[in-house]
């Protein structure tokens, strides 16, 4: 049964994705894989983590079929990896699911060759596997081709017969794609977790264990070092925020280059600050110091540093928003806003880590889960159309940007014929015509169906 499904999986994969982009084919392939998983591991699929991952995967597939772009394409692949990892071992953390998913997509069917032999159990008769079918048919076929070519090379009559046979119906790349699809299906259906990672993840708890004995001298020393360090960092950050306030009050008088550099440097500063805050706080609040009764001052100073970092994020947000108003909305400026929002969530989880005496593992689990869920939600939005519409309404015409956002913004451009003609007039016209070529149904999206009712470039 597994071998038949693997071969069928290869044919379906090649039919849907050979020489195609990502569109409706992602929905059909997702449903196909989920059906295979239901047939083979239906009890596992009823588990909540697996159902959630499968629904998110199908949701991103629908997003791709609605309007395909880089973000939802990436999230579709990531959710597919996560679903396979959840099926393999649903109780693991989300990042362990990613590792298990990648491992099984690449090596799932080969995993059993690395397992220790079970000497204490009676070996039961098993059905023929995909690899065995590959040996039974692949090796004889390979030998047949090799000797056929040898014989044809030594016999003109046989060579003439082979020359008259039309092999144009055979497509090597299509066959190779089908082989990869079969291997992918086999790997998914025979998945096994990476046991060492699973055990490590199971042993990593969210809550810190209360120590049986506190080393008071060590706690006092760490408390002093942490207090002095965070006081110094607070003072430095306050001084920096004062200079930020001065810059923001004069922001309307800044040239474009200065404002651009300020936004970019502000993002880099916030990245460094958040990472540094995370490392320092995790370091000082990693063990016994969490249970030291005289650490209240250190906690308050740490909280104040987190608040100051929130103010820093706010200042960067203001500069980025001002930049958008004056010079338009671009993918990078939109990405800055998304990143700043994720930073706020990160600071909140760090605060919870200190307050409730949680571990670094808690931060990884919670932040990776929230970030993944948010990016899945963002992948549903056609940001290309939103950016184009905003820039046109606010008279930020950038033909190069509009070309980069095509075809996600095609319907907006259809409603603004003067801008469309301006793009055609410039050097992007041949490239856009290439993007507008007719697609097969596999790679079509709902947006493509809407465009068929309009004149193309």
């Amino acid at each position: 049964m597994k071998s038949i499904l693997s071969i069928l999986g290869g044919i379906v994969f090649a039919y849907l994705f050979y020489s195609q982009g990502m569109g409706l084919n992602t929905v059909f392939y997702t449903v196909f894989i989920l059906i295979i998983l239901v047939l083979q591991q239906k009890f596992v699929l009823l588990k909540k983590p697996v159902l959630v991952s499968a629904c998110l995967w199908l949701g991103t597939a629908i997003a791709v079929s609605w309007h395909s772009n880089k973000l939802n394409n990436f999230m579709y692949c990531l959710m597919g990896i996560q679903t396979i990892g959840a099926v393999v071992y649903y109780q693991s953390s989300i990042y362990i699911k990613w590792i298990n998913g990648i491992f099984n997509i690449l090596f799932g069917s080969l995993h059993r060759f690395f397992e220790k032999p079970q000497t204490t159990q009676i070996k039961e008769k098993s059905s023929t596997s995909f690899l065995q079918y590959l040996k039974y048919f692949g090796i004889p076929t390979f030998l047949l081709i090799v000797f056929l070519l040898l014989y044809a090379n030594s016999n003109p009559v046989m060579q003439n017969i082979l020359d008259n046979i039309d092999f144009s119906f055979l497509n090597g790349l299509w066959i190779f794609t089908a082989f990869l699809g079969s291997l992918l299906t086999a790997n998914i259906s025979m998945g096994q977790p990476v046991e060492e990672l699973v055990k490590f993840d199971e042993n990593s708890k969210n809550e810190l264990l209360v120590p049986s004995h506190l080393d008071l001298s060590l706690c006092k020393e760490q408390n002093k070092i942490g207090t002095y360090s965070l006081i110094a960092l607070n003072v430095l950050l306050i001084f920096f925020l004062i200079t930020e306030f001065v810059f923001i009050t004069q922001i309307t008088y800044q040239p474009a280059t200065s404002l651009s550099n300020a936004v970019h440097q502000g993002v880099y500063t916030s990245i460094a600050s958040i990472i540094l805050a995370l490392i320092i706080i995790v370091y000082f609040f990693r063990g016994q110091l969490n249970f030291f009764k005289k650490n209240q001052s250190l906690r308050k100073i740490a909280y104040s540093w987190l608040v100051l970092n929130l103010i820093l994020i706010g200042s960067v947000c203001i500069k980025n928003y001002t930049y958008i108003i004056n010079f338009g909305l671009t993918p990078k400026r939109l990405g800055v806003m998304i990143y700043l929002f994720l930073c706020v969530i990160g600071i909140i989880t760090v605060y919870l880590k200190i307050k409730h005496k949680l571990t670094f593992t808690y931060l990884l689990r919670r932040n990776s889960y929230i970030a993944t869920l948010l990016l899945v939600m963002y992948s549903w939005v056609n940001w290309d159309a939103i950016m184009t519409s905003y820039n046109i309404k606010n008279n930020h015409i950038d033909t190069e940007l509009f070309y980069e956002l095509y075809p996600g913004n095609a319907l907006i451009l259809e409603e603004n014929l003067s801008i469309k003609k301006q793009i055609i007039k410039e050097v992007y016209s041949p490239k856009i015509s290439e993007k507008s070529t007719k697609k097969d149904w596999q790679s079509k999206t709902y947006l493509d169906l809407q465009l068929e009712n309009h004149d193309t470039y």
Side-chain angles (χ1 to χ4, degrees):
M1 180 66 175
K2 289 183 178 180
S3 301
I4 296 174
L5 289 176
S6 298
I7 295 172
L8 179 61
I11 297 173
V12 171
F13 183 81
Y15 176 68
L16 291 176
F17 290 102
Y18 175 72
S19 296
Q20 302 294 337
M22 295 181 72
L24 290 172
N25 47 12
T26 57
V27 176
F28 285 95
Y29 188 70
T30 302
V31 172
F32 173 77
I33 293 297
L34 291 178
I35 291 174
I36 289 180
L37 294 176
V38 167
L39 292 175
Q40 298 185 344
Q41 305 186 55
K42 57 183 177 181
F43 297 109
V44 177
L45 285 175
L46 296 177
K47 302 297 181 181
K48 183 178 177 181
V50 183
L51 279 176
V52 171
S53 296
C55 289
L56 290 176
W57 189 23
L58 185 58
T60 53
I62 295 173
V64 171
S65 67
W66 197 265
H67 57 89
S68 181
N69 57 40
K70 292 180 181 178
L71 177 59
N72 55 33
N73 288 351
F74 172 77
M75 294 309 300
Y76 171 77
C77 296
L78 183 62
M79 289 301 99
I81 291 171
Q82 181 177 314
T83 302
I84 303 307
V87 171
V88 168
Y89 195 81
Y90 64 88
Q91 293 178 319
S92 59
S93 303
I94 187 171
Y95 47 86
I96 300 298
K97 290 185 179 75
W98 296 339
I99 298 175
N100 275 328
I102 293 173
F103 176 80
N104 281 278
I105 287 173
L106 297 176
F107 310 110
S109 61
L110 303 176
H111 185 271
R112 59 193 181 91
F113 291 105
F114 301 98
E115 293 179 340
K116 295 181 180 179
Q118 301 292 335
T119 56
T120 58
Q121 297 180 354
I122 299 175
K123 187 175 182 181
E124 298 181 356
K125 185 177 180 181
S126 59
S127 59
T128 306
S129 68
F130 170 72
L131 291 177
Q132 287 174 319
Y133 272 117
L134 188 63
K135 293 176 185 177
Y136 296 158
F137 296 100
I139 294 176
T141 302
F142 174 76
L143 293 176
L144 180 65
I145 293 173
V146 170
F147 280 92
L148 181 63
L149 294 175
L150 286 175
Y151 295 151
N153 190 46
S154 61
N155 190 312
V157 176
M158 193 170 186
Q159 180 68 48
N160 186 51
I161 294 174
L162 290 179
D163 291 340
N164 291 327
I165 298 176
D166 184 10
F167 290 101
S168 60
F169 66 93
L170 293 177
N171 189 319
L173 288 177
W174 190 96
I175 294 173
F176 181 70
T177 304
F179 170 76
L180 291 179
S182 296
L183 186 60
L184 176 62
T185 308
N187 288 344
I188 291 173
S189 60
M190 302 177 189
Q192 294 290 334
V194 182
E195 294 182 1
E196 292 77 8
L197 285 176
V198 168
K199 290 179 181 178
F200 175 79
D201 188 56
E202 288 178 342
N203 294 329
S204 301
K205 306 300 180 182
N206 287 335
E207 299 82 14
L208 288 168
L209 298 176
V210 180
S212 57
H213 173 72
L214 282 178
D215 187 342
L216 294 179
S217 61
L218 177 62
C219 288
K220 290 179 180 179
E221 180 183 358
Q222 290 182 346
N223 190 59
K224 286 183 179 180
I225 296 173
T227 301
Y228 297 153
S229 300
L230 289 178
I231 287 175
L233 290 172
N234 271 277
V235 172
L236 178 61
L237 188 51
I238 289 172
F239 177 76
F240 177 75
L241 289 174
I242 292 173
T243 61
E244 282 283 280
F245 177 76
V246 173
F247 180 84
I248 290 174
T249 57
Q250 302 173 352
I251 200 168
T252 55
Y253 306 104
Q254 299 292 333
T257 54
S258 298
L259 188 56
S260 176
N261 292 333
V263 172
H264 295 156
Q265 291 300 324
V267 173
Y268 300 148
T269 301
S270 65
I271 292 174
S273 182
I274 297 301
I275 293 176
L276 185 60
L278 178 63
I279 293 174
I280 291 176
I281 289 175
V282 168
Y283 175 78
F284 286 118
F285 291 94
R286 71 188 185 280
Q288 295 187 21
L289 189 57
N290 289 274
F291 306 95
F292 184 51
K293 294 182 179 180
K294 297 182 179 180
N295 70 353
Q296 295 303 317
S297 297
L298 178 59
R299 285 175 176 270
K300 292 178 181 179
I301 297 171
Y303 293 153
S304 66
W305 197 27
L306 294 178
V307 172
L308 291 174
N309 275 278
L310 286 174
I311 298 174
L312 172 62
I313 291 174
S315 69
V316 177
C317 184
I318 292 173
K319 289 188 292 187
N320 191 50
Y321 179 70
T322 305
Y323 199 35
I324 291 172
I325 291 176
N326 292 330
F327 304 103
L329 185 60
T330 65
K332 287 185 178 180
R333 294 160 202 167
L334 179 63
V336 168
M337 288 299 192
I338 295 174
Y339 163 75
L340 293 176
F341 183 67
L342 293 176
C343 282
V344 172
I345 295 175
I347 288 178
I348 293 173
T349 56
V350 171
Y351 165 77
L352 294 175
K353 181 250 182 297
I354 300 174
K355 182 178 180 180
H356 299 292
K357 301 180 178 66
L358 302 173
T359 63
F360 179 70
T361 302
Y362 160 81
L363 292 177
L364 285 179
R365 287 171 176 167
R366 184 56 58 89
N367 286 305
S368 58
Y369 178 81
I370 294 174
T372 301
L373 188 60
L374 286 174
L375 289 176
V376 169
M377 294 170 60
Y378 288 147
S379 69
W380 268 86
V381 181
N382 188 350
W383 295 108
D384 298 338
I386 291 175
M387 285 185 283
T388 303
S389 178
Y390 174 86
N391 289 337
I392 292 176
K393 288 180 180 179
N394 292 276
N395 200 29
H396 299 303
I397 308 302
D398 186 342
T399 54
E400 184 175 355
L401 173 64
F402 293 162
Y403 161 71
E404 294 295 334
L405 299 179
Y406 191 87
N409 60 356
L411 290 177
I412 304 298
L413 294 178
E414 290 289 339
E415 298 171 359
N416 296 270
L417 296 178
S418 60
I419 297 176
K420 182 171 75 171
K421 292 177 181 178
Q422 184 178 348
I423 298 176
I424 294 174
K425 187 177 179 180
E426 299 184 8
V427 296
Y428 312 109
S429 133
K431 294 183 179 180
I432 287 184
S433 64
E434 291 175 7
K435 287 188 175 186
S436 303
T437 54
K438 291 185 178 180
K439 301 178 181 178
D440 295 327
W441 73 265
Q442 291 96 324
S443 56
K444 276 191 176 181
T445 64
Y446 177 72
L447 180 60
D448 293 322
L449 298 178
Q450 289 180 298
L451 286 174
E452 289 180 356
N453 298 323
H454 297 81
D455 293 330
T456 57
Y457 287 108

